Amino acid sequence: MDYIDPHLHMVSRTTDDYETLARMGCVAISEPAFWAGFDRGSVESFRDYFRQLTEFEPKRAAQYGISHYTWLCINAKEAENVSLSREVIAMIPEFLEAKNVLGIGEIGLNKNTRNEATIFLEHLDLAVKYNQQILIHTPHLEDKYQGTRMILDMLMGDSRIDRSRVLVDHVEEHTIEHVLENGFWAGMTLYPVSKCTPQRAADMIERFGPERLMANSAGDWGPSKPTAIPDLIMELKKRGHSKELIKKIVYDNPKQFFSQSKPFTHG
Amino acid sequence: MNTKLNAIETINERTAEQIVSDEFLIARAKILELAATLDRIERARGDVEDTRHMQLLTHGMQILCDDEVDKAKRVQLLMSREYDPRWKDSMSIAKKES
Ligand SMILES: [Zn+2]
């Protein structure tokens, strides 16, 4: 089955991974900007990273027939450095016209600090000013619930934000309802230990229905599985769910959401 | 905006009997892993009974055995930091006009 992975950090993966993804049915990837595993020293480092995301990765993906899209920002972890964050935010518009940029992301919170919230709000201003879609990272483990509620407070406190153009990622059992009930899109991240399994993702689809819901692997440089979406497809098939339902989650929904950004042309 | 979710309980295609039969071995293995972990802690030197992590695990296991629904969500909330709706004031984050 053709599918789209709406959150996958291919800069940390090998070309062999592109090949495996293509063989498994992946036809498009969206890659949000994220933390490299270490704090970068200057705005120039981010400029090079954004060139990699907008110039090099789309070419690497195209060799395997995969469309590559991206989102730009300074991630929540490095947002603790407010002055560097402001330099990065000021530089992002240089790249917003690139052919594969879908919007601003993955912005969010990490340890739910004041600095992170300040930079999150400045990213919202940037997105509104340039009419960009938004992809959101919610914190992990014990910080997730508090951080997700804080993020929703900031989004809902800003009347300029069109909720149907915001995707809130890494939702789990205790946060999914808040996100969907308030009109946002939600992404479930299939990740070996710290996030959600294909089984629990299938449970959430059964519980909350397929509207505005999608799944991603968030594959990155840590222990993660870039081919996690085929695992979810298998789990849903095993449970006897229809092809239409499965396709809606792994293909139609990401396509519908991304189509709200001009550069998205897939299918 | 409050988009009411069409809570689709009916989307579940399998009966309870089917789920127990499909997932018995998986759940059995997970219980055994947990049991062996508790044995391992018990055999080791030191006392962890009063530590926060051990208390969270014990409380989590109680949720598995009680009569209430929404166990996954309740375990998640148990393992979560508290959310204060007035966080913007305590962090002195300016509110946007809306
Ligand atoms: Zn990510």
Side-chain angles (χ1 to χ4, degrees), chain A residues 20-56:
Chain A
T20 307
L21 288 165
R23 284 182 197 279
M24 289 194 149
C26 180
V27 293
I29 286 169
S30 104
E31 172 157 8
F34 84 139
W35 189 55
F38 63 95
D39 290 349
R40 280 157 282 208
S42 73
V43 66
E44 286 313 314
S45 186
F46 282 88
R47 186 178 271 116
D48 286 339
Y49 177 40
F50 296 162
R51 281 186 47 223
Q52 185 180 12
L53 289 172
T54 53
E55 294 169 22
F56 179 65

Side-chain angles (χ1 to χ4, degrees), chain A residues 29-249:
Chain A
I29 286 169
S30 104
E31 172 157 8
F34 84 139
W35 189 55
F38 63 95
D39 290 349
R40 280 157 282 208
S42 73
V43 66
E44 286 313 314
S45 186
F46 282 88
R47 186 178 271 116
D48 286 339
Y49 177 40
F50 296 162
R51 281 186 47 223
Q52 185 180 12
L53 289 172
T54 53
E55 294 169 22
F56 179 65
E57 283 310 321
K59 283 194 198 123
R60 212 157 66 109
Q63 289 172 359
Y64 296 93
I66 297 174
S67 307
H68 181 279
Y69 299 94
T70 193
W71 304 74
L72 306 176
C73 75
I74 177 166
N75 59 87
K77 214 166 153 88
E78 285 169 283
E80 200 47 48
N81 182 339
V82 171
S83 58
L84 175 62
S85 300
R86 288 183 173 147
E87 287 181 65
V88 174
I89 289 173
M91 178 266 291
I92 286 173
E94 291 174 25
F95 291 87
L96 289 179
E97 291 299 317
K99 295 205 293 295
N100 68 334
V101 174
L102 295 182
I104 301 302
E106 54 183 307
I107 57 170
L109 298 175
N110 175 49
K111 290 291 165 197
N112 310 336
T113 67
R114 182 173 194 275
N115 283 351
E116 291 167 16
T118 302
I119 294 305
F120 180 87
L121 291 168
E122 292 182 18
H123 274 116
L124 293 189
D125 287 336
L126 176 72
V128 167
K129 183 170 173 201
Y130 290 90
N131 191 28
Q132 296 290 308
Q133 294 212 89
I134 299 171
L135 191 152
I136 290 185
H137 163 93
T138 55
H140 304 310
L141 302 171
E142 65 172 6
D143 301 310
K144 181 178 298 293
Y145 180 74
Q146 182 189 67
T148 303
R149 297 295 304 266
M150 289 167 67
I151 286 167
L152 294 179
D153 285 346
M154 288 187 276
L155 290 167
M156 296 191 292
D158 188 336
S159 60
R160 303 169 304 170
I161 301 287
D162 174 354
R163 299 180 194 184
S164 67
R165 296 186 75 215
V166 179
L167 167 59
V168 180
D169 257 335
H170 318 318
V171 299
E172 291 181 31
E173 291 88 347
H174 52 325
T175 56
I176 183 169
E177 234 168 322
H178 297 286
V179 172
L180 289 176
E181 271 187 352
N182 286 298
F184 300 97
W185 289 75
M188 301 175 291
T189 295
L190 310 166
Y191 212 75
V193 180
S194 57
K195 299 181 186 91
C196 177
T197 59
Q199 290 74 21
R200 284 169 47 216
D203 291 336
M204 285 189 262
I205 295 166
E206 290 172 350
R207 271 299 294 275
F208 299 102
E211 284 317 314
R212 280 180 287 113
L213 185 56
M214 45 187 122
N216 62 69
S217 70
D220 57 23
W221 43 261
S224 53
K225 192 175 179 195
T227 56
I229 293 184
D231 295 346
L232 174 65
I233 295 173
M234 277 223 324
E235 176 65 21
L236 290 166
K237 273 190 193 160
K238 266 206 290 203
R239 295 186 185 193
H241 290 297
S242 68
K243 237 194 189 120
E244 292 68 50
L245 175 89
I246 300 174
K247 181 166 169 276
K248 182 165 173 63
I249 296 287

